[in-house]
Structures are given as C-alpha cells and as structure tokens.
Coordinates of all heavy atoms in Angstrom, one line a residue:
M587 N -72.3 80.0 -52.3 CA -71.8 78.7 -51.8 C -70.4 78.9 -51.2 O -70.0 78.2 -50.4 CB -71.8 77.8 -53.0 CG -71.3 76.4 -52.8 SD -72.2 75.3 -53.7 CE -72.1 73.9 -52.8
S588 N -69.6 79.9 -51.8 CA -68.3 80.2 -51.2 C -68.3 80.5 -49.7 O -67.5 80.2 -49.0 CB -67.6 81.2 -52.1 OG -68.2 82.5 -51.8
G589 N -69.5 81.1 -49.3 CA -69.7 81.4 -47.9 C -69.7 80.2 -47.0 O -69.3 80.2 -46.0
V590 N -70.3 79.1 -47.6 CA -70.3 77.8 -46.8 C -69.0 77.3 -46.5 O -68.7 76.9 -45.5 CB -71.3 76.8 -47.5 CG1 -71.2 75.4 -46.8 CG2 -72.7 77.4 -47.6
F591 N -68.2 77.3 -47.6 CA -66.8 76.8 -47.3 C -66.1 77.6 -46.4 O -65.4 77.1 -45.5 CB -66.0 76.8 -48.7 CG -66.5 75.8 -49.6 CD1 -66.8 76.1 -50.9 CD2 -66.7 74.4 -49.3 CE1 -67.3 75.2 -51.8 CE2 -67.1 73.5 -50.1 CZ -67.4 73.8 -51.4
Q592 N -66.2 79.0 -46.5 CA -65.5 79.8 -45.5 C -66.1 79.7 -44.1 O -65.4 79.5 -43.1 CB -65.6 81.3 -45.8 CG -64.7 81.5 -47.1 CD -65.0 83.0 -47.6 OE1 -65.9 83.6 -47.1 NE2 -64.2 83.5 -48.6
Q593 N -67.3 79.5 -43.9 CA -68.1 79.4 -42.7 C -67.6 78.1 -41.9 O -67.4 77.9 -40.8 CB -69.6 79.4 -42.8 CG -70.3 79.3 -41.6 CD -71.8 79.2 -41.9 OE1 -72.3 79.2 -43.0 NE2 -72.7 79.4 -40.8
N594 N -67.6 76.9 -42.7 CA -67.1 75.6 -42.1 C -65.7 75.4 -42.2 O -65.3 74.3 -41.9 CB -67.9 74.6 -43.0 CG -69.5 74.5 -42.7 OD1 -69.8 74.9 -41.6 ND2 -70.2 74.2 -43.7
K595 N -64.9 76.5 -42.6 CA -63.5 76.3 -42.8 C -63.0 75.2 -43.5 O -62.3 74.2 -43.0 CB -62.8 76.3 -41.3 CG -63.1 77.5 -40.6 CD -62.4 77.6 -39.3 CE -62.8 78.9 -38.6 NZ -62.3 79.0 -37.2
F596 N -63.6 75.0 -44.8 CA -63.3 73.9 -45.7 C -61.7 73.6 -45.7 O -61.0 74.7 -46.1 CB -64.0 74.1 -47.0 CG -63.8 73.0 -47.9 CD1 -64.3 71.8 -47.7 CD2 -63.0 73.2 -49.1 CE1 -64.1 70.7 -48.7 CE2 -62.8 72.3 -49.9 CZ -63.3 71.0 -49.8
E597 N -61.2 72.5 -45.6 CA -59.9 72.1 -45.7 C -59.5 71.3 -47.0 O -58.7 70.4 -46.9 CB -59.3 71.5 -44.5 CG -59.5 72.3 -43.3 CD -58.4 73.5 -43.2 OE1 -57.4 73.4 -43.9 OE2 -58.7 74.4 -42.6
G598 N -60.4 71.4 -48.1 CA -60.2 70.6 -49.3 C -60.5 69.1 -48.9 O -61.6 68.8 -48.3
N599 N -59.7 68.1 -49.2 CA -59.8 66.7 -48.9 C -59.3 66.3 -47.6 O -59.0 65.2 -47.3 CB -59.3 66.0 -50.0 CG -59.9 66.0 -51.3 OD1 -61.0 66.2 -51.4 ND2 -59.2 65.8 -52.5
N600 N -59.3 67.3 -46.6 CA -58.7 67.0 -45.4 C -59.8 67.2 -44.4 O -59.8 68.2 -43.7 CB -57.5 67.9 -45.1 CG -56.7 67.6 -43.8 OD1 -57.1 66.6 -43.2 ND2 -55.7 68.2 -43.7
P601 N -60.6 66.3 -44.1 CA -61.9 66.5 -43.2 C -61.4 66.6 -41.9 O -62.2 67.2 -41.0 CB -62.7 65.2 -43.6 CG -61.8 64.2 -43.9 CD -60.7 64.9 -44.7
T602 N -60.3 66.1 -41.3 CA -59.9 66.1 -40.0 C -59.4 67.5 -39.7 O -59.2 67.9 -38.5 CB -58.8 65.1 -39.6 OG1 -57.7 65.4 -40.4 CG2 -59.4 63.7 -39.9
G603 N -59.0 68.4 -40.6 CA -58.4 69.6 -40.3 C -57.0 69.5 -40.0 O -56.3 70.4 -39.6
A604 N -56.4 68.3 -40.1 CA -55.0 68.2 -39.7 C -54.1 68.9 -40.7 O -54.4 69.1 -41.8 CB -54.6 66.6 -39.7
S605 N -52.8 69.2 -40.3 CA -52.0 69.9 -41.1 C -51.6 69.0 -42.3 O -51.3 67.9 -42.3 CB -50.7 70.2 -40.3 OG -49.6 70.7 -41.2
P606 N -51.7 69.8 -43.5 CA -51.5 69.1 -44.8 C -50.0 68.7 -44.9 O -49.6 67.9 -45.7 CB -52.0 70.0 -45.8 CG -52.0 71.4 -45.2 CD -52.2 71.1 -43.7
S607 N -49.1 69.3 -44.1 CA -47.7 68.9 -44.2 C -47.3 67.7 -43.6 O -46.1 67.2 -43.7 CB -46.8 70.1 -43.6 OG -47.1 70.2 -42.2
V608 N -48.2 67.0 -42.9 CA -47.9 65.9 -42.1 C -48.1 64.6 -43.2 O -49.0 64.4 -43.9 CB -48.9 65.5 -41.1 CG1 -48.7 64.0 -40.5 CG2 -48.8 66.5 -40.1
A609 N -46.9 63.9 -43.5 CA -46.8 62.9 -44.6 C -47.2 61.5 -43.9 O -46.9 61.3 -42.7 CB -45.4 62.8 -45.2
P610 N -47.9 60.7 -44.6 CA -48.1 59.4 -44.1 C -46.8 58.5 -43.9 O -45.9 58.9 -44.5 CB -49.1 58.6 -45.2 CG -48.6 59.5 -46.4 CD -48.3 60.8 -45.9
P611 N -46.8 57.5 -43.2 CA -45.7 56.6 -43.0 C -45.3 56.1 -44.2 O -46.2 55.9 -45.2 CB -46.1 55.7 -42.0 CG -47.6 55.6 -41.9 CD -48.0 57.0 -42.4
A612 N -44.0 55.7 -44.4 CA -43.6 55.0 -45.7 C -44.2 53.6 -45.8 O -44.4 53.0 -44.7 CB -42.1 54.9 -45.6
I613 N -44.4 53.2 -47.0 CA -44.9 52.0 -47.3 C -43.8 50.9 -47.1 O -42.6 51.1 -47.7 CB -45.4 51.9 -48.8 CG1 -46.7 52.8 -48.8 CG2 -45.9 50.5 -49.2 CD1 -47.1 53.0 -50.4
P614 N -44.0 49.9 -46.4 CA -42.9 48.9 -46.1 C -42.5 48.2 -47.4 O -43.4 48.0 -48.3 CB -43.5 48.0 -45.2 CG -44.9 48.4 -44.9 CD -45.2 49.5 -45.6
Q615 N -41.2 48.1 -47.7 CA -40.8 47.5 -48.8 C -40.6 45.9 -48.6 O -40.3 45.5 -47.6 CB -39.4 48.1 -49.3 CG -39.4 49.6 -49.6 CD -40.3 49.9 -50.8 OE1 -40.2 49.1 -51.7 NE2 -41.1 50.9 -50.7
A616 N -40.9 45.2 -49.7 CA -40.7 43.8 -49.6 C -39.4 43.4 -49.5 O -38.4 44.0 -50.0 CB -41.4 43.1 -50.8
V617 N -39.1 42.4 -48.7 CA -37.7 41.9 -48.4 C -37.2 41.3 -49.7 O -37.8 40.5 -50.4 CB -37.6 40.9 -47.3 CG1 -36.2 40.3 -47.1 CG2 -38.2 41.6 -46.0
Q618 N -36.1 41.6 -50.2 CA -35.3 41.0 -51.3 C -34.3 40.2 -50.9 O -33.5 40.5 -49.8 CB -34.9 42.0 -52.2 CG -36.0 43.0 -52.8 CD -35.4 44.1 -53.7 OE1 -34.3 44.5 -53.6 NE2 -36.2 44.5 -54.7
Y619 N -34.1 39.0 -51.5 CA -33.2 38.0 -51.2 C -32.1 37.8 -52.2 O -32.7 37.8 -53.4 CB -33.9 36.6 -50.8 CG -34.8 36.7 -49.6 CD1 -36.1 37.0 -49.9 CD2 -34.4 36.5 -48.3 CE1 -36.9 37.1 -48.7 CE2 -35.2 36.5 -47.3 CZ -36.6 36.8 -47.4 OH -37.4 36.9 -46.3
F620 N -30.9 37.5 -52.0 CA -30.0 37.2 -53.0 C -29.5 35.7 -52.7 O -29.3 35.4 -51.5 CB -28.7 38.2 -52.9 CG -29.3 39.5 -53.4 CD1 -29.8 40.4 -52.4 CD2 -29.1 39.9 -54.7 CE1 -30.3 41.7 -52.9 CE2 -29.6 41.2 -55.1 CZ -30.0 42.0 -54.1
L621 N -29.3 35.0 -53.7 CA -28.8 33.5 -53.5 C -27.4 33.5 -54.1 O -26.9 34.2 -55.1 CB -29.7 32.6 -54.4 CG -31.2 32.8 -54.1 CD1 -31.9 31.7 -54.9 CD2 -31.5 32.5 -52.6
A622 N -26.6 32.6 -53.5 CA -25.3 32.2 -54.1 C -25.3 30.9 -54.7 O -25.5 29.9 -54.1 CB -24.1 32.2 -53.0
I623 N -25.4 30.9 -56.1 CA -25.6 29.5 -56.9 C -24.3 29.4 -57.6 O -24.0 30.1 -58.5 CB -26.8 29.8 -57.8 CG1 -28.0 30.1 -57.0 CG2 -27.0 28.4 -58.6 CD1 -28.6 29.1 -56.1
N624 N -23.7 28.2 -57.3 CA -22.3 27.9 -57.8 C -21.4 29.1 -57.8 O -20.7 29.4 -58.8 CB -22.6 27.4 -59.4 CG -23.4 26.2 -59.4 OD1 -23.2 25.3 -58.6 ND2 -24.3 26.1 -60.3
G625 N -21.3 29.7 -56.7 CA -20.4 30.9 -56.5 C -20.8 32.1 -57.3 O -20.0 33.1 -57.2
V626 N -22.0 32.2 -57.9 CA -22.4 33.5 -58.5 C -23.7 33.9 -57.8 O -24.5 33.2 -57.5 CB -22.8 33.0 -60.0 CG1 -23.5 34.2 -60.7 CG2 -21.7 32.6 -60.6
Q627 N -23.8 35.2 -57.5 CA -24.8 36.0 -56.9 C -25.9 36.0 -57.8 O -25.8 36.5 -59.0 CB -24.4 37.3 -56.4 CG -25.5 38.2 -55.8 CD -25.1 39.5 -55.4 OE1 -24.2 39.6 -54.8 NE2 -25.9 40.5 -55.9
E628 N -27.1 35.6 -57.4 CA -28.3 35.8 -58.3 C -29.4 36.4 -57.3 O -29.5 36.3 -56.1 CB -28.9 34.4 -58.7 CG -27.8 33.7 -59.6 CD -28.6 32.5 -60.2 OE1 -29.8 32.3 -60.3 OE2 -27.7 31.6 -60.7
G629 N -30.2 37.2 -58.0 CA -31.3 38.0 -57.4 C -31.2 39.5 -57.9 O -30.5 39.8 -58.7
P630 N -32.1 40.2 -57.2 CA -32.9 39.8 -56.0 C -34.2 39.0 -56.3 O -34.6 39.1 -57.4 CB -33.3 41.2 -55.5 CG -33.4 42.2 -56.7 CD -32.3 41.6 -57.7
F631 N -34.7 38.4 -55.2 CA -35.8 37.6 -55.4 C -36.8 38.0 -54.2 O -36.3 38.2 -53.1 CB -35.5 36.1 -55.2 CG -34.7 35.5 -56.3 CD1 -33.3 35.3 -56.1 CD2 -35.3 34.9 -57.3 CE1 -32.5 34.7 -57.0 CE2 -34.5 34.4 -58.4 CZ -33.1 34.3 -58.2
L632 N -38.0 38.0 -54.5 CA -39.0 38.1 -53.5 C -39.4 36.7 -52.9 O -39.0 35.7 -53.6 CB -40.4 38.8 -54.0 CG -40.1 40.3 -54.5 CD1 -41.4 40.8 -55.1 CD2 -39.5 41.2 -53.5
I633 N -40.0 36.7 -51.8 CA -40.2 35.3 -51.1 C -41.0 34.4 -52.1 O -40.8 33.2 -52.2 CB -41.0 35.6 -49.7 CG1 -41.0 34.1 -49.0 CG2 -42.4 36.1 -49.9 CD1 -39.8 33.9 -48.1
D634 N -42.1 35.0 -52.8 CA -42.9 34.2 -53.7 C -42.1 33.7 -54.9 O -42.3 32.5 -55.3 CB -44.1 34.9 -54.3 CG -45.1 35.3 -53.3 OD1 -45.2 34.5 -52.2 OD2 -45.9 36.1 -53.3
Q635 N -41.1 34.3 -55.3 CA -40.2 33.9 -56.4 C -39.2 32.8 -55.8 O -38.9 31.8 -56.6 CB -39.3 35.1 -56.9 CG -40.1 36.0 -57.7 CD -39.4 37.3 -58.0 OE1 -38.8 37.9 -57.1 NE2 -39.4 37.8 -59.2
L636 N -38.9 32.8 -54.6 CA -38.1 31.8 -54.1 C -38.8 30.5 -54.0 O -38.2 29.4 -54.1 CB -37.6 32.2 -52.5 CG -36.7 33.3 -52.5 CD1 -36.2 33.6 -51.1 CD2 -35.4 33.0 -53.4
K637 N -40.2 30.4 -53.9 CA -41.0 29.2 -54.0 C -40.6 28.3 -55.2 O -40.5 27.3 -55.2 CB -42.4 29.4 -53.8 CG -42.8 29.9 -52.4 CD -44.2 30.3 -52.3 CE -44.6 31.0 -51.0 NZ -46.0 31.4 -50.9
D638 N -40.5 29.2 -56.3 CA -40.3 28.6 -57.6 C -38.8 28.1 -57.7 O -38.5 27.0 -58.2 CB -40.4 29.6 -58.8 CG -41.9 30.0 -59.0 OD1 -42.8 29.2 -58.7 OD2 -42.1 31.1 -59.5
E639 N -37.8 28.8 -57.0 CA -36.5 28.3 -56.9 C -36.3 27.0 -56.2 O -35.5 26.2 -56.5 CB -35.6 29.4 -56.5 CG -35.7 30.8 -57.1 CD -35.1 30.6 -58.6 OE1 -34.2 29.8 -58.8 OE2 -35.9 31.0 -59.5
V640 N -37.3 26.9 -55.1 CA -37.1 25.7 -54.3 C -37.8 24.4 -55.1 O -37.2 23.4 -55.3 CB -38.0 25.7 -53.0 CG1 -38.2 24.4 -52.4 CG2 -37.3 26.7 -52.1
R641 N -38.9 24.7 -55.8 CA -39.5 23.7 -56.6 C -38.4 23.2 -57.9 O -38.5 22.0 -58.3 CB -40.6 24.3 -57.4 CG -41.9 24.0 -56.5 CD -43.2 24.4 -57.2 NE -43.7 25.5 -56.3 CZ -44.2 26.5 -56.5 NH1 -44.3 27.0 -57.6 NH2 -44.6 27.4 -55.5
S642 N -37.7 24.2 -58.4 CA -36.8 23.8 -59.5 C -35.5 23.1 -58.9 O -34.7 22.6 -59.7 CB -36.4 25.0 -60.2 OG -35.4 25.9 -59.4
G643 N -35.3 23.1 -57.7 CA -34.2 22.5 -57.0 C -32.9 23.5 -57.0 O -32.0 23.0 -56.4
K644 N -33.1 24.7 -57.4 CA -32.0 25.6 -57.3 C -31.7 26.2 -56.0 O -30.6 26.3 -55.6 CB -32.4 26.8 -58.3 CG -31.2 27.6 -58.7 CD -31.7 28.7 -59.7 CE -30.6 29.3 -60.5 NZ -31.2 30.3 -61.5
L645 N -32.8 26.4 -55.2 CA -32.7 26.7 -53.7 C -32.9 25.6 -52.8 O -34.0 25.0 -52.8 CB -33.6 27.9 -53.4 CG -33.7 28.4 -52.0 CD1 -32.4 28.8 -51.4 CD2 -34.8 29.4 -51.9
V646 N -31.9 25.2 -52.1 CA -32.0 24.2 -51.1 C -31.7 24.7 -49.7 O -31.1 25.8 -49.5 CB -31.2 22.9 -51.4 CG1 -31.7 22.3 -52.6 CG2 -29.7 23.4 -51.5
S647 N -32.0 24.0 -48.6 CA -31.8 24.5 -47.4 C -30.4 25.0 -47.0 O -30.1 25.8 -46.2 CB -32.3 23.6 -46.2 OG -31.5 22.4 -46.4
S648 N -29.3 24.5 -47.6 CA -28.0 24.7 -47.5 C -27.5 25.9 -48.5 O -26.2 26.3 -48.4 CB -27.1 23.6 -47.7 OG -27.2 22.9 -49.0
T649 N -28.3 26.4 -49.3 CA -27.9 27.5 -50.2 C -27.7 28.7 -49.4 O -28.3 29.1 -48.5 CB -29.0 27.7 -51.2 OG1 -29.4 26.6 -52.0 CG2 -28.7 29.0 -52.1
L650 N -26.5 29.4 -49.8 CA -26.2 30.6 -49.1 C -27.0 31.7 -49.6 O -27.4 31.9 -50.8 CB -24.7 31.0 -49.3 CG -23.7 30.0 -48.6 CD1 -22.3 30.5 -49.1 CD2 -23.8 30.0 -47.2
V651 N -27.6 32.5 -48.6 CA -28.6 33.6 -49.0 C -28.1 34.8 -48.1 O -27.6 34.8 -47.1 CB -30.0 33.1 -48.3 CG1 -31.0 34.2 -48.6 CG2 -30.5 31.9 -49.0
W652 N -28.5 35.9 -48.6 CA -28.3 37.3 -48.0 C -29.4 38.1 -48.3 O -30.1 38.1 -49.4 CB -27.0 38.0 -48.6 CG -26.7 39.3 -47.9 CD1 -26.0 39.4 -46.8 CD2 -27.1 40.5 -48.3 NE1 -25.9 40.8 -46.4 CE2 -26.8 41.5 -47.4 CE3 -27.9 41.1 -49.4 CZ2 -26.9 42.8 -47.5 CZ3 -28.2 42.3 -49.4 CH2 -27.7 43.3 -48.5
K653 N -29.8 39.0 -47.2 CA -30.8 40.0 -47.4 C -30.3 41.2 -46.6 O -29.3 41.1 -45.7 CB -32.1 39.5 -46.9 CG -32.2 39.2 -45.3 CD -33.6 38.8 -44.9 CE -33.5 38.7 -43.4 NZ -34.9 38.7 -42.9
A654 N -30.9 42.4 -46.9 CA -30.5 43.5 -46.1 C -30.7 43.3 -44.6 O -31.7 42.6 -44.2 CB -31.3 44.8 -46.5
G655 N -29.8 43.7 -43.8 CA -29.6 43.5 -42.4 C -28.7 42.4 -42.0 O -28.4 42.3 -40.8
L656 N -28.4 41.5 -42.8 CA -27.5 40.4 -42.6 C -26.1 40.9 -42.8 O -25.8 41.6 -43.7 CB -27.7 39.3 -43.3 CG -29.1 38.4 -43.1 CD1 -29.1 37.2 -44.1 CD2 -29.1 37.9 -41.8
E657 N -25.2 40.5 -41.8 CA -23.8 40.9 -42.0 C -23.1 40.1 -43.0 O -22.1 40.6 -43.8 CB -23.1 40.7 -40.6 CG -21.9 41.6 -40.3 CD -21.4 41.5 -38.9 OE1 -22.3 42.0 -38.1 OE2 -20.3 41.1 -38.7
N658 N -23.5 38.7 -43.0 CA -22.8 37.8 -44.0 C -23.9 37.0 -44.7 O -25.0 36.8 -44.3 CB -21.8 37.0 -43.2 CG -20.5 37.7 -42.7 OD1 -20.0 38.5 -43.4 ND2 -20.3 37.7 -41.4
W659 N -23.4 36.2 -45.6 CA -24.2 35.2 -46.2 C -24.4 34.0 -45.2 O -23.4 33.6 -44.6 CB -23.6 34.7 -47.5 CG -23.4 35.7 -48.6 CD1 -22.5 36.7 -48.7 CD2 -24.3 35.8 -49.7 NE1 -22.8 37.4 -49.8 CE2 -23.8 36.9 -50.6 CE3 -25.4 35.0 -50.1 CZ2 -24.4 37.2 -51.9 CZ3 -26.0 35.4 -51.4 CH2 -25.5 36.4 -52.1
I660 N -25.6 33.7 -45.2 CA -25.9 32.4 -44.4 C -26.8 31.4 -45.1 O -27.3 31.7 -46.1 CB -26.6 32.8 -43.0 CG1 -28.0 33.5 -43.3 CG2 -25.8 33.8 -42.2 CD1 -28.7 33.8 -42.1
E661 N -26.7 30.2 -44.6 CA -27.6 29.2 -45.1 C -29.1 29.4 -45.1 O -29.5 30.0 -44.0 CB -27.3 27.8 -44.5 CG -25.9 27.3 -44.9 CD -25.7 25.8 -44.4 OE1 -26.5 25.3 -43.6 OE2 -24.7 25.3 -44.9
A662 N -29.8 29.2 -46.1 CA -31.3 29.4 -46.1 C -32.0 28.9 -44.9 O -32.9 29.6 -44.4 CB -31.9 28.9 -47.4
R663 N -31.7 27.8 -44.3 CA -32.3 27.2 -43.3 C -32.3 27.9 -42.0 O -32.9 27.8 -40.9 CB -31.8 25.6 -43.0 CG -30.4 25.6 -42.5 CD -30.1 24.1 -42.2 NE -28.7 23.9 -42.8 CZ -28.6 22.9 -43.7 NH1 -29.5 22.2 -44.0 NH2 -27.3 22.7 -44.0
E664 N -31.2 28.9 -42.0 CA -31.0 29.7 -40.7 C -31.9 31.0 -40.8 O -31.9 31.9 -39.8 CB -29.6 30.1 -40.7 CG -28.5 29.0 -40.5 CD -27.2 29.5 -40.4 OE1 -26.8 30.3 -39.6 OE2 -26.3 28.9 -41.2
I665 N -32.7 31.2 -41.8 CA -33.5 32.3 -41.8 C -34.9 31.9 -41.7 O -35.6 31.2 -42.5 CB -33.4 33.1 -43.3 CG1 -32.0 33.5 -43.6 CG2 -34.4 34.2 -43.4 CD1 -31.7 34.1 -44.9
D666 N -35.5 32.4 -40.6 CA -36.8 31.9 -40.2 C -37.9 32.0 -41.3 O -38.7 31.0 -41.4 CB -37.3 32.6 -39.0 CG -36.5 32.3 -37.7 OD1 -35.9 31.3 -37.6 OD2 -36.5 33.2 -36.8
E667 N -38.1 33.0 -42.0 CA -39.0 33.2 -42.9 C -38.9 32.2 -44.2 O -39.7 32.0 -45.0 CB -39.3 34.6 -43.4 CG -38.1 35.3 -44.0 CD -37.3 36.0 -43.1 OE1 -37.1 35.8 -41.9 OE2 -36.5 37.0 -43.5
L668 N -37.7 31.7 -44.3 CA -37.5 30.7 -45.4 C -37.6 29.3 -45.1 O -37.8 28.4 -46.0 CB -36.0 30.9 -46.1 CG -35.8 32.4 -46.6 CD1 -34.4 32.2 -47.2 CD2 -36.8 32.7 -47.6
T669 N -37.6 29.0 -43.8 CA -37.7 27.6 -43.4 C -38.9 26.8 -43.8 O -39.1 25.8 -44.2 CB -37.5 27.4 -41.9 OG1 -38.5 28.1 -41.2 CG2 -36.1 27.7 -41.4
S670 N -40.0 27.6 -44.0 CA -41.3 27.0 -44.3 C -41.2 26.6 -45.8 O -42.1 25.7 -46.3 CB -42.5 28.0 -44.1 OG -42.3 29.2 -44.9
L671 N -40.3 27.2 -46.7 CA -40.4 26.8 -48.0 C -39.8 25.3 -48.3 O -40.0 24.7 -49.2 CB -39.3 27.9 -48.7 CG -39.6 29.2 -48.8 CD1 -38.5 30.1 -49.6 CD2 -41.0 29.4 -49.5
F672 N -39.0 24.9 -47.2 CA -38.4 23.6 -47.3 C -39.2 22.5 -46.6 O -39.0 21.4 -46.7 CB -37.1 23.6 -46.7 CG -36.0 24.7 -47.4 CD1 -35.7 25.8 -46.6 CD2 -35.7 24.6 -48.6 CE1 -34.9 26.7 -47.1 CE2 -35.1 25.5 -49.1 CZ -34.6 26.7 -48.4
N673 N -40.3 23.0 -45.8 CA -41.2 22.0 -45.1 C -42.6 22.1 -45.7 O -43.5 21.9 -45.0 CB -41.1 22.4 -43.6 CG -39.7 22.4 -43.1 OD1 -39.0 21.5 -43.4 ND2 -39.5 23.4 -42.2
A674 N -42.8 22.3 -47.0 CA -44.0 22.6 -47.5 C -44.8 21.3 -47.7 O -46.1 21.3 -47.8 CB -43.9 23.3 -48.8
G675 N -44.2 20.1 -47.7 CA -44.9 18.8 -48.0 C -45.2 18.2 -46.7 O -44.8 18.6 -45.5
P676 N -45.9 17.0 -46.8 CA -46.2 16.3 -45.4 C -45.0 15.7 -44.9 O -44.1 15.5 -45.8 CB -47.3 15.4 -46.0 CG -46.9 15.1 -47.4 CD -46.5 16.5 -47.9
P677 N -45.0 15.3 -43.7 CA -43.8 14.6 -43.1 C -43.6 13.2 -43.7 O -44.7 12.7 -44.2 CB -44.1 14.5 -41.7 CG -45.6 14.6 -41.5 CD -46.1 15.5 -42.7
P678 N -42.5 12.6 -43.5 CA -42.3 11.2 -44.0 C -43.4 10.3 -43.4 O -43.7 10.4 -42.2 CB -40.9 10.8 -43.7 CG -40.2 12.1 -43.1 CD -41.4 13.1 -42.9
I679 N -43.6 9.2 -44.1 CA -44.6 8.1 -43.6 C -43.8 7.3 -42.6 O -42.7 6.8 -42.9 CB -45.1 7.3 -44.7 CG1 -46.0 8.2 -45.6 CG2 -45.9 6.2 -44.1 CD1 -46.4 7.4 -47.0
P680 N -44.3 7.1 -41.4 CA -43.7 6.4 -40.4 C -43.4 4.9 -40.8 O -44.3 4.4 -41.4 CB -44.5 6.4 -39.2 CG -45.4 7.5 -39.3 CD -45.6 7.7 -40.8
G681 N -42.3 4.4 -40.6 CA -41.9 3.0 -41.0 C -41.6 2.7 -42.4 O -41.5 1.7 -42.9
A682 N -41.6 3.8 -43.3 CA -41.5 3.6 -44.7 C -40.0 3.7 -45.1 O -39.2 4.2 -44.5 CB -42.2 4.8 -45.4

C-alpha cells in the first residue's frame, strides 16, 4: 500500500498538491462599536447588540459612536451601517 502513496505522490490532506506553507486568508473580524453614554465610554458592542441598545433607548441617532478606522467620535446617524437600526419600524401614518 505504501507504494500507492509514493506512486501517486500522496500529499496528505492536500489533494491539490499546493505548498502546505500557503496560509488561508485571515477570517474577517466583526466590527466593534463603542458608545459615549453620559460622557462614559461603553462597549465594545457588535451590531446585533446595538439593536438591544436602541430598543432600550440607550442608543439614539445622536449618540456618539466610535469604531476602528474613525478618527473621532461621530453621531450614530452618520455611520451607514447603523442608520437602519433607527429606521426599523414603518414610516409615520400620513395625516396623523
């Protein structure tokens, strides 16, 4: 049987024969957000956790938020991926 492995140049669990030193790309990390609540930094929060903060009224569109890549704290409404958190319900009824 060992002759079969040698004959077919068995590479273990590497069926393509690619170099085993090639590493796969890094797994993308989830974005973490920090909130400024009453002058105190809270977090980190993942986007799903921020939904709960909106429901509780702790996170509103004017809350200051920071995430990696931002130079300064900005209002939550200025971060595209957070705007949907504040527009989750139906629009107001016309004429109401």
Side-chain angles (χ1 to χ4, degrees):
M587 183 138 204
S588 64
V590 173
F591 289 129
Q592 290 175 348
Q593 182 181 10
N594 293 326
K595 296 183 181 176
F596 180 71
E597 297 289 333
N599 289 332
N600 190 357
T602 63
S605 172
S607 64
V608 175
I613 296 172
Q615 298 298 313
V617 177
Q618 296 181 330
Y619 300 89
F620 293 85
L621 308 178
I623 307 294
N624 298 320
V626 177
Q627 175 183 309
E628 294 191 22
F631 295 97
L632 299 176
I633 190 92
D634 287 338
Q635 294 170 309
L636 290 180
K637 293 175 186 177
D638 293 333
E639 299 303 313
V640 169
R641 272 184 238 135
S642 73
K644 200 172 193 180
L645 172 60
V646 296
S647 62
S648 60
T649 302
L650 292 178
V651 177
W652 182 87
K653 67 175 184 168
L656 291 179
E657 208 170 294
N658 293 305
W659 292 79
I660 61 174
E661 291 186 349
R663 70 174 133 242
E664 297 179 53
I665 301 176
D666 290 338
E667 61 266 27
L668 299 185
T669 57
S670 65
L671 297 177
F672 307 110
N673 302 322
I679 298 171

